[in-house]
Amino acid sequence: MGKLKRPNDAKALATFLAKICDSKLATDILIIDLTKIESAPADFFVICSCDSQPQVAAVVDEVYDQSRELELSKPRAEGLEEKEWALIDFFDVVLHVMLRKTREFYKIEKLWSDGTIYSISAAGRLHKLTQKEIMELVLKDKVASDE
């Protein structure tokens, strides 16, 4: 993974975490901006899918390594033993590293779809999803659950 620079705000931290997920080949990486939602538990959620428990561990380990290298405050974490849904909490930004089947079951991006949802491009830039793309995400989840 190339050298990342220290994030200077919550949005930059969310993007930083999304890039780490991407570097470990996590998929379906989304950033949800929750700043306009009064009851939100954080400013941003970053969500990614992994195909195996070792991949979940690899993403979490890389987050810790990069955070330590850039001298970010150590995040709180849950779910590290089971490695099905690891939650890494930086207070303003919460990273959800999930096995695909766990993510399909809980559908947290659907729960928070009133936030502004971004994907990350191959160039590492944020792409705001359109309402149509968000609906496709929601409908894809519905179709998968109906099968």
Side-chain angles (χ1 to χ4, degrees), residues 50-146:
C50 294
D51 294 322
S52 65
Q53 291 172 321
Q55 186 181 20
V56 170
V59 171
V60 170
D61 289 346
E62 187 67 17
V63 167
Y64 277 126
D65 291 346
Q66 291 289 330
S67 297
R68 191 171 29 257
E69 187 174 317
L70 296 177
E71 299 176 352
L72 299 176
S73 59
K74 185 175 180 177
R76 296 179 53 121
E78 293 183 28
L80 300 180
E81 298 80 28
E82 298 84 15
K83 296 179 185 72
E84 288 190 24
W85 180 354
L87 188 139
I88 312 299
D89 186 352
F90 285 88
F91 188 72
D92 290 336
V93 180
V94 177
L95 170 62
H96 300 267
V97 184
M98 307 173 82
L99 287 179
R100 185 171 312 285
K101 66 178 180 159
T102 304
R103 185 170 176 183
E104 289 171 359
F105 181 79
Y106 286 102
K107 299 176 177 53
I108 60 174
E109 58 268 42
K110 184 176 177 183
L111 292 173
W112 293 99
S113 63
D114 48 346
T116 304
I117 302 177
Y118 298 90
S119 62
I120 191 160
S121 71
R125 292 194 172 87
L126 294 184
H127 164 72
K128 182 178 177 180
L129 297 183
T130 64
Q131 193 63 35
K132 180 181 177 187
E133 290 169 318
I134 294 169
M135 289 307 297
E136 288 172 356
L137 266 175
V138 171
L139 291 175
K140 180 180 94 173
D141 288 340
K142 180 171 178 16
V143 169
S145 66
D146 289 345

